[in-house]
Amino acid sequence: MHVLILGGTTEARRLAEILAAEAPGLRVTTSLAGRVAAPRLPPGEVRVGGFGGAGGLAAWLRAHRVDALVDATHPFARTIGHNAASAAATAHVPLLALRRPGWVPGAGDDWREAGSLEEAAGLLPALGRRVFLTTGRMGLAAFAALDGLWFLVRSVDAPEAPHPRHMEVVLDRGPFTLDGERDLLRRHRIDVVVTKDSGGSATAPKLRAAREAGVPVVVVRRPPVPDGVEAAAGPEEAARWVLGQRH
């Protein structure tokens, strides 16, 4: 049996690890988009780069005799999610979307929801002047016109233009600690945080640090899983689904 994991997330890597341990005879290929310069590689086979859209992915599924497809990409990777759904239907391959649960505000949180990065940018001038922007290096163009604000941008790799004029870049990769996030907010005098609802624990400490500091957080809502696609909330559940596809 051959399983293709569309990866790049902690959950994708963990799924590959579980399958390698529990089903050593299973062929597992993880596909990475190639946007990160030095990704953490999972066990099994790894391919890097795009497929050329839904049609290219469907052709790859057929050519490599894939028996099950798991879309374990980032919750905000909308294009690949829809391409996976289309390709799986075309190639008649079972598809599962692995999506970690989203964050839920708690007592003391001051969250403002936004439907897009552009909507998030529109909220900022009324909320603060020193912004901790944790949405990654892609999409910074949405904030490029906000010349009256200062941005602390955190990403794995250095961002490219267009981006905000007044910004400082921190190159770092989670998981992050609560003490580290507290220090970062205090040291840079952050008065508003912007994040995508990525879920998970690796980057969640910033939310608690913001709550403790009384700093508002603009949370960009994640896109829904494509219609008709079964979803799993964690790698263990996804592994059970994969092993259940064996004939």
Side-chain angles (χ1 to χ4, degrees), residues 39 48 97 101 107 173 202 238:
V48 178
R173 187 201 305 259

Side-chain angles (χ1 to χ4, degrees), residues 65-78:
R65 300 190 178 187
V66 172
D67 300 291
L69 174 63
V70 180
D71 172 16
T73 55
H74 192 276
F76 282 82
R78 182 193 298 266

